[in-house]
Amino acid sequence: MEWPYDNEAGLLAEEDCDVLVLGGGLAGLHAAIAAAEKGARVTLLEKGAAHRSGAAGTGFDHWEMACTNPGCTVTPEEMTRALEEEQDCFSNAIGHYIETREGWDRLLDLEKWGGKIRDTEGEFTGAPFRDDATGLMYAYDYRNRYTLRVWGTTFKPALVRRARRLGVQLRDRTEACALLTCEAGGVKTGTGGLGFDTRTGRITVFRAKAVVMAMSRPARVWLFHSDLPGLCEFRPLSSIGSGHAMGWRAGMAFTMMEKSVRGEFSAAGRSFPPYGTGNNHNTWYAATMVDARGVEIPYVDRDGRELKTVLERYLPAPGQKFFLKGGVIDEPKYEWRGPETLPFDELMRRGYRLPFYADLTGMPDSERRVIWGMMVGQEAKTRIPIYENYTERGFDPARHALQSYGTGWQSAAFLAQERQLFGAPGGVMHNWNLETSLRNVFAAGDMLYASDCAGHACATGHWAGQHAAEAAARAPMREAGRDFVEETRQRLLHPLTVRDGLDWREINAAAAKAMQNYCGGVKCDSLLRQGLEAIGELKQAAGEISCRNPHELVRTHEVSDILDVCELILHASLQRKCSCAPLFFERSDSDESLAAQERCYLTLWREDGAVREGKVPLQFYGDLTSNYEKHREGGGLDE
Amino acid sequence: MSEYRYTVEVTASSVSPLAFDPSRCIGCCRCVEACQIDVLLPPQRKGGVPRVVWPGECWYCGACVMECPQKGAIRLRHPLMNQARFVERASLRDEAPGKLP
Ligand SMILES: Cc1cc2nc3c(=O)[nH]c(=O)nc-3n(C[C@H](O)[C@H](O)[C@H](O)COP(=O)(O)OP(=O)(O)OC[C@H]3O[C@@H](n4cnc5c(N)ncnc54)[C@H](O)[C@@H]3O)c2cc1C
Ligand code: SF4
Ligand code: SF4
């Protein structure tokens, strides 16, 4: 068949701006808007179409940790400390503090721009989770009210409208492929990026005074399925960590990349579509669960006390200030443990029978409607494939029970080597300005180390955009290195010159298998080194991939980025010598004598073809409140 | 004229995530433009429906359906292996009473 779009392969264009934003998800759009509001000329490159791209393109239902919202009883300091201790300090306190201080402001922005953040129609008037004075709708802890239920399907279109109105140059269908850098005064400095038109193949050099990276995080590293590549990960097929890869190639420092968890979602294999099976977590919290005989499964508080009412599932235990639930919280420590159904093993011991079901039929009407209709409906990937399709199939939440699979909300049981960067994995190392180790290059959202969640992405995006605008105001425009541009151009187009070569999927599958073999649940030096060799060989083999059009080229660029990410993860794993439970990092050759020394962020970056390593103390960010004040609204750049 | 020539074939997959109803589809391509993965290409001929060229790459987000102005013109369906079961709540009954503590 003929290619329906223009053919611009080989064309090289050039554009200038003050701030270049890479990635048009929640973080990238907020960054672009914040920079434009400060007067910067902004260009944003988005690989898909910003209107519905990214993890949250079709929505999200929880806005977490909005501690300055009018109903919240937890302070930003308290919440940041809790999140930090919860992760044994391997968390991102800077990001969390920005999130807890400013998340609510971002939500008010979104409302101003046309997003829906409260129950304006009075659909839930009188419900225990609704504040009738403001129409705000709370989730999880109804007493402390730090997390809101929101109409996330409305947010991306609202952000795109706002960005357009401010004159942001939105370049949809443009894949960011490389960072442009130079040495300035002995410091590696960002000077722009290279974009590849995913439909025509044109390459554009975007020169900029400052860059914000917001391309989410790696995926398809351990999990791949050649027949169903789109289903093998939790995030969109097109988000595979190109930001990490181009940062790594350019010498950017990363941390915690040795952290990975046993897989949680892969609907190509073990699991089902997220939020589409019976469960009582996240979107479905706190659904009633029953077993195969319809016997209700008890909820207990942190002391094992059985809860009698539905309302108690949303309240802290006696003597507990608040409990934690949400995206980065898996099995909280006692201090913040909230209500839960009894553990699976205990249920088996007590004779409960599989399969289990989520059963909304007997729940109070408002709880049933808010789970099925609002949360399932506003959460990403639920409006059409779950809410509408199940309704068409006849599902009625007042009559039916929805089956549960496996043992938990992931509805699956993975093997130890089937890993994922899930929860709050590693990422870009940064300072209070959200500036990376490359000068004038900032990062935001899920690209940051130990980061997750929509509100966090919006808050850090805004913060990074403000700082990038300030940095751009004092940086000169620099020329792009011609040799590097030419080299990259050839790399990007090379597969068009290969005839009857390999399919990109063969390389991705081989990489995933290599990572399962050499960087699985239990690691050791000799395996990891084999892994580096194997990935090196695959990089050679990737030169044999052939493509017939820009779409295939994009998938091929992704695979080459995935190989770079594999390398980064293998090096990070080699660097940490002692097993580390908070990072889910286990070694068979663990050197326990290093345990204390390694209680820090290990950082790594590439320089002159070699891998360099560093150490940063866990609480390097200092006092939260005073640093926040110093750096807010783009301040503190001279530090 | 570029020195490279582009061609495209449907990349086969065992699943068919999308189905179009040609009697309802007006060929506006909003679905094509909404998809961040570019699973679809525009119709080959005027009056046709968009082409599902990379069905295996779909991540089942539903953006294409959300953006379609013609109800029922495009449908998204999870593969059979991912269709969760549901039952009448009333059908769940204890068949061996007295087993629970
Ligand atoms: C199914 C699902 C449900 C979720 N529900 C919630 C929820 O209810 N509450 C919550 O707080 N969080 C939720 N999350 C997480 C939340 O969506 C993310 O944390 C958030 O979207 C991260 O924002 P981001 O901007 O960093 O990444 P994204 O929003 O994913 O945006 C990244 C963008 O970068 C683009 N991109 C990638 N590579 C390139 C490249 N090379 N060039 C150009 N562009 C590129 C992508 O196309 C994408 O648009 C959910 C995630 C998923 C997948
Ligand atoms: S469901 Fe999502 S990924 Fe699949 S074709 Fe539609 S828009 Fe694209
Ligand atoms: S958006 Fe709807 S009407 Fe328009 S081309 Fe797609 S399916 Fe047809």
Side-chain angles (χ1 to χ4, degrees):
Chain A
M1 293 190 291
E2 240 173 82
W3 184 246
Y5 304 113
D6 289 345
N7 183 338
E8 298 184 308
L11 232 121
L12 192 67
E14 218 167 299
E15 287 188 36
D16 281 2
C17 60
D18 296 330
V19 174
L20 179 67
V21 179
L22 308 180
L26 291 177
L29 280 168
H30 273 276
I33 290 168
E37 282 171 342
K38 274 191 167 280
R41 290 178 309 136
V42 183
T43 299
L44 181 149
L45 311 189
E46 164 55 46
K47 192 182 196 178
H51 188 67
R52 293 271 176 220
S53 71
T58 48
F60 61 94
D61 59 352
H62 285 99
W63 186 290
E64 300 192 350
M65 317 304 176
C67 293
T68 55
N69 89 74
C72 184
T73 64
V74 186
T75 66
E77 290 76 16
E78 272 176 310
M79 182 58 79
T80 305
R81 292 278 175 238
L83 291 168
E84 205 180 5
E85 282 172 40
E86 178 45 40
Q87 313 264 335
D88 290 300
C89 292
F90 286 100
S91 78
N92 190 327
I94 294 175
H96 281 312
Y97 195 66
I98 296 171
E99 169 188 27
T100 54
R101 281 292 292 249
E102 299 192 353
W104 170 243
D105 301 322
R106 300 293 74 78
L107 209 43
L108 290 177
D109 283 346
L110 278 159
E111 183 175 42
K112 228 168 30 209
W113 304 332
K116 179 166 165 171
I117 73 164
R118 43 187 121 220
D119 175 25
T120 38
E121 282 88 43
E123 273 183 88
F124 296 97
T125 304
F129 46 81
R130 183 180 190 270
D131 175 46
D132 285 337
T134 57
L136 293 173
M137 305 255 290
Y138 295 97
Y140 301 134
D141 186 330
Y142 290 176
R143 183 170 301 148
N144 295 290
R145 302 183 157 192
Y146 54 83
T147 289
L148 291 133
R149 304 179 193 256
V150 293
W151 285 261
T153 55
T154 61
F155 289 174
K156 287 269 349 248
L159 284 167
V160 168
R161 276 196 305 272
R162 173 69 181 165
R164 288 230 160 88
R165 198 155 297 155
L166 287 168
V168 171
Q169 300 295 307
L170 282 180
R171 298 277 188 271
D172 278 347
R173 311 289 168 193
T174 306
E175 179 197 25
C177 298
L179 267 180
L180 298 171
T181 58
C182 72
E183 290 283 324
V187 186
K188 201 138 198 215
T189 304
T191 61
L194 275 189
F196 176 82
D197 188 308
T198 66
R199 288 179 171 177
T200 71
R202 183 187 63 239
I203 293 172
T204 306
V205 177
F206 292 92
R207 296 194 312 155
K209 298 172 182 172
V211 180
V212 180
M213 301 176 81
M215 288 165 278
S216 193
R217 63 169 69 140
R220 288 199 256 141
V221 174
W222 290 268
L223 300 176
F224 188 68
H225 195 289
S226 292
D227 182 42
L228 304 172
L231 272 178
C232 68
E233 278 277 359
F234 187 64
R235 308 233 157 189
L237 170 93
S238 41
S239 279
I240 45 77
S242 352
H244 291 58
M246 71 183 78
W248 176 242
R249 292 193 295 264
M252 184 175 283
F254 288 82
T255 190
M256 281 173 56
M257 291 305 297
E258 66 275 32
K259 176 180 175 184
S260 60
V261 299
R262 190 191 282 254
E264 301 200 4
F265 287 96
S266 179
R270 295 178 194 274
S271 43
F272 282 75
Y275 322 106
T277 62
N279 76 96
N280 60 336
H281 285 254
N282 203 293
T283 293
W284 284 77
Y285 189 79
T288 297
M289 300 294 294
V290 298
D291 82 347
R293 302 158 301 176
V295 178
E296 194 169 319
I297 292 170
Y299 272 84
V300 292
D301 70 9
R302 62 177 181 173
D303 297 307
R305 201 176 53 94
E306 220 172 275
L307 305 179
K308 297 281 178 275
T309 65
V310 169
L311 185 59
E312 282 175 290
R313 300 172 192 171
Y314 299 98
L315 297 174
Q320 185 177 33
K321 164 103 208 265
F322 63 97
F323 65 79
L324 285 177
K325 279 198 193 277
V328 289
I329 313 297
D330 247 354
E331 282 174 33
K333 298 185 169 149
Y334 177 78
E335 191 173 353
W336 301 286
R337 194 178 306 148
E340 263 306 334
T341 38
L342 282 173
F344 185 78
D345 293 346
E346 179 61 21
L347 291 170
M348 292 293 99
R349 214 164 16 248
R350 292 195 191 181
Y352 286 86
R353 290 222 197 113
L354 291 171
F356 297 160
Y357 295 87
D359 170 20
L360 307 181
T361 60
M363 291 187 83
D365 177 66
S366 64
E367 298 290 355
R368 178 171 59 243
R369 283 190 298 124
V370 83
I371 292 178
W372 186 264
M374 175 167 174
M375 306 306 270
V376 176
Q378 293 301 322
E379 177 59 296
K381 300 180 49 155
T382 65
R383 166 69 136 260
I384 303 296
I386 312 293
Y387 182 68
E388 285 198 6
N389 286 5
Y390 286 36
T391 304
E392 277 171 26
R393 279 168 61 198
F395 178 74
D396 174 357
R399 243 181 66 207
H400 294 114
L402 183 59
Q403 201 169 105
S404 182
Y405 299 83
T407 59
W409 79 292
Q410 305 105 332
S411 66
F414 287 85
L415 304 174
Q417 67 271 29
E418 293 170 330
R419 306 190 76 72
Q420 228 164 358
L421 298 186
F422 203 82
V428 174
M429 190 65 188
H430 60 82
N431 61 17
W432 265 101
N433 302 325
L434 301 185
E435 191 171 17
T436 69
S437 65
L438 306 183
R439 184 188 283 160
N440 295 344
V441 180
F442 300 79
D446 284 352
M447 272 200 73
L448 303 172
Y449 76 90
S451 289
D452 195 25
C453 293
H456 179 277
C458 296
T460 55
H462 178 87
W463 184 277
Q466 287 188 320
H467 281 84
E470 289 294 333
R474 52 182 92 175
M477 187 75 79
R478 293 175 207 274
E479 278 311 313
R482 288 293 130 194
D483 291 350
F484 177 74
V485 169
E486 193 41 45
E487 234 170 73
T488 309
R489 183 163 81 134
Q490 296 205 352
R491 170 172 72 84
L492 296 176
L493 297 178
H494 173 73
L496 290 175
T497 65
V498 180
R499 292 267 159 263
D500 304 321
L502 304 177
D503 183 299
W504 65 268
R505 294 174 295 181
E506 184 172 354
I507 303 287
N508 203 151
K513 194 159 186 173
M515 289 300 279
Q516 290 200 13
N517 275 325
Y518 302 119
C519 195
V522 183
K523 300 167 178 75
C524 71
D525 269 356
S526 45
L527 271 180
L528 292 166
R529 286 210 195 85
Q530 281 293 305
L532 277 175
E533 277 187 30
I535 295 300
E537 284 161 16
L538 288 175
K539 283 187 168 184
Q540 290 292 318
E544 302 300 315
I545 298 177
S546 61
C547 294
R548 295 165 293 187
N549 54 58
H551 181 99
E552 293 175 353
L553 281 175
V554 169
R555 299 283 98 92
T556 302
H557 302 158
E558 286 166 359
V559 168
S560 100
D561 284 349
I562 289 169
L563 292 171
D564 282 331
V565 167
C566 291
E567 202 180 83
L568 167 58
I569 291 172
L570 287 161
H571 280 296
S573 304
L574 275 165
Q575 187 181 2
R576 189 171 285 282
K577 298 296 179 201
C578 177
S579 297
C580 179
L583 297 176
F584 302 89
F585 182 79
E586 194 183 344
R587 267 180 176 271
S588 57
D589 57 353
S590 175
D591 182 348
E592 297 301 319
S593 71
L594 295 175
Q597 251 171 285
E598 286 189 349
R599 256 202 71 72
C600 62
Y601 298 109
L602 300 178
T603 57
L604 74 169
W605 65 96
R606 279 189 2 168
E607 201 174 303
D608 305 326
V611 176
R612 303 295 167 94
E613 301 182 348
K615 276 185 180 175
V616 176
L618 285 181
Q619 293 179 315
F620 73 95
Y621 47 81
D623 179 61
L624 291 172
T625 323
S626 59
N627 273 302
Y628 168 80
E629 291 300 337
K630 196 179 330 167
H631 296 268
R632 61 183 298 204
E633 306 219 341
L637 268 186
D638 299 320
E639 292 288 296
Chain B
M1 236 347 241
S2 165
E3 58 189 292
Y4 307 99
R5 223 178 77 76
Y6 294 157
T7 59
V8 61
E9 304 299 333
V10 171
T11 300
S13 163
S14 61
V15 296
S16 314
L18 299 169
F20 291 88
D21 179 345
S23 72
R24 299 187 199 204
C25 173
I26 54 172
C28 67
C29 287
R30 280 207 218 164
C31 50
V32 180
E33 296 309 319
C35 179
Q36 61 181 317
I37 291 154
D38 260 339
V39 166
L40 302 163
L41 286 180
Q44 213 159 3
R45 265 168 255 94
K46 227 179 147 56
V49 299
R51 291 170 286 166
V52 187
V53 179
W54 293 279
E57 295 179 15
C58 177
W59 84 300
Y60 297 81
C61 69
C64 48
V65 183
M66 284 167 86
E67 296 303 322
C68 174
Q70 295 288 103
K71 187 140 187 61
I74 176 172
R75 295 175 52 83
L76 173 67
R77 188 183 64 88
H78 278 295
L80 279 179
M81 68 166 182
N82 280 352
Q83 305 254 345
R85 294 172 60 82
F86 53 85
V87 299
E88 292 274 347
R89 171 64 180 88
S91 73
L92 301 176
R93 261 181 255 109
D94 194 345
E95 278 150 19
K99 268 300 197 75
L100 268 192

